[in-house]
Amino acid sequence: MAEPARQLDVIDARPAFTQADADALNARFEGVDALTMLKTVFAEGLAGKVAVVSSFGTESAVLLDLVARADRNIPVIFVDTLKMFAETLNYRDTLIARLGFTDSRSVTPDRDVLMQKDETGLRWSYDPDGCCDIRKVEPMNRAKQGLDAWISGRKAFQSTTRQNMPRFEIEDGRLKINPLGDWAKEDLEAYFEEHDLPRHPLEAQGYLSVGCEPCTSKVLPGEDPRAGRWRGWDKVECGIHSPVTPIPAPVADPDDPANQPVF
């Protein structure tokens, strides 16, 4: 009697999604509202193992409310750089409780890496790209391990580096979903009002885009909404979404304490 053919152990290293998958999803959901899209994606398992990533910034409540209405069991991931505003941490807790999420996760920088590369905690002041890499990018990469897809709150209007944004795109073999990519600022404001969502407590003070405390300043009239991030540096992204691309910035008022370095 012949022995059965030997079975080889093969590791499937293929990406969870390809550009063809993203193209098909973009075509299927063209013109479909964000909430219906999310409900369908979750109900049909179109994104596999998925989570929503939130900075709990000034516009985050809209995406989180949409995700919660579609499925409150979707994990919510927050990267705590250990340089966040206390107001942001409180806002996170407020929104998670208000929207009823059942799986809230926080990821922080590796302590050993911080001791090796940012022992003083001042790397942001001379190497913001390096600081973002160890405090945001690396923790985010760890948080995404095991995920097939993740949901981003990016909007095309936020800066020149975010234009022409598809709803579905591929990043490192994962599906990246941008439900609000084509929303305008007016759409967000209307949603806040319609659903009576709480605002980030720093927004009323002129912080239109809130990141880490040392690298966030108030936005001046007429500026890009993200101009208050990394003011004085040719930098508009932390590295989680795209490479650094400089944008022109108006001259800030040097006497405004919000535009002074924080040590």
Side-chain angles (χ1 to χ4, degrees):
M1 179 173 167
E3 294 184 4
R6 181 169 176 263
Q7 298 295 318
L8 297 178
D9 292 329
V10 178
I11 298 176
D12 188 351
R14 292 174 297 179
F17 291 92
T18 66
Q19 186 59 50
D21 297 321
D23 292 342
L25 288 168
N26 280 317
R28 175 177 176 180
F29 291 103
E30 183 177 1
V32 177
D33 67 273
L35 180 56
T36 300
M37 181 198 76
L38 288 170
K39 285 182 176 180
T40 305
V41 167
F42 298 155
E44 297 185 13
L46 300 179
K49 189 173 181 180
V50 61
V52 57
V53 175
S54 180
S55 66
F56 290 89
T58 56
E59 298 167 350
S60 296
V62 172
L63 176 63
L64 291 171
D65 186 77
L66 287 167
V67 172
R69 289 174 184 274
D71 187 346
R72 288 184 172 84
N73 296 314
I74 295 297
V76 180
I77 297 174
F78 171 66
V79 178
D80 183 355
T81 65
L82 306 180
K83 292 285 186 182
M84 311 303 291
F85 286 93
E87 290 87 345
T88 296
L89 301 179
N90 292 334
Y91 189 53
R92 172 198 59 187
D93 297 341
T94 296
L95 284 179
I96 290 295
R98 162 77 177 268
L99 301 178
F101 281 105
T102 63
D103 187 352
S104 175
R105 309 174 185 179
S106 291
V107 60
T108 58
D110 184 282
R111 294 284 183 176
D112 291 336
V113 173
L114 286 181
M115 289 300 297
Q116 295 170 10
K117 297 185 177 181
D118 194 15
E119 185 177 5
T120 65
L122 295 175
R123 186 161 190 149
W124 62 268
S125 65
Y126 59 88
D127 180 20
D129 283 344
C131 186
C132 284
D133 187 61
I134 61 178
R135 290 182 180 272
K136 289 187 177 182
V137 178
E138 190 280 327
M140 186 68 247
N141 287 340
R142 275 190 281 118
K144 289 189 294 186
Q145 289 179 5
L147 294 179
D148 300 313
W150 62 292
I151 304 168
S152 159
R154 294 185 306 159
K155 278 78 66 177
F157 77 85
Q158 289 176 318
S159 76
T160 56
T161 62
R162 296 185 173 188
Q163 295 176 2
N164 302 317
M165 184 186 302
R167 270 188 167 180
F168 298 89
E169 56 187 335
I170 301 300
E171 183 180 271
D172 298 327
R174 293 186 182 88
L175 187 67
K176 187 174 181 180
I177 308 173
N178 307 304
L180 307 181
D182 60 351
W183 283 41
K185 182 66 173 175
E186 294 75 17
D187 298 324
L188 296 172
E189 294 300 319
Y191 195 96
F192 264 102
E193 293 298 323
E194 180 182 355
H195 298 282
D196 192 28
L197 296 176
R199 299 278 187 167
H200 193 295
L202 291 177
E203 184 177 9
Q205 299 180 34
Y207 296 88
L208 302 188
S209 180
V210 179
C212 294
E213 185 171 3
C215 297
T216 301
S217 60
K218 295 179 181 179
V219 174
L220 305 175
E223 284 188 312
D224 183 286
R226 288 177 60 83
R229 305 285 292 276
W230 305 286
R231 189 177 294 282
W233 295 90
D234 287 339
K235 178 177 174 64
V236 294
E237 295 282 359
C238 64
I240 287 178
H241 295 296
S242 66
V244 175
T245 303
I247 60 172
V251 177
D253 180 1
D255 296 325
D256 188 337
N259 295 320
Q260 302 299 314
V262 178
F263 290 95

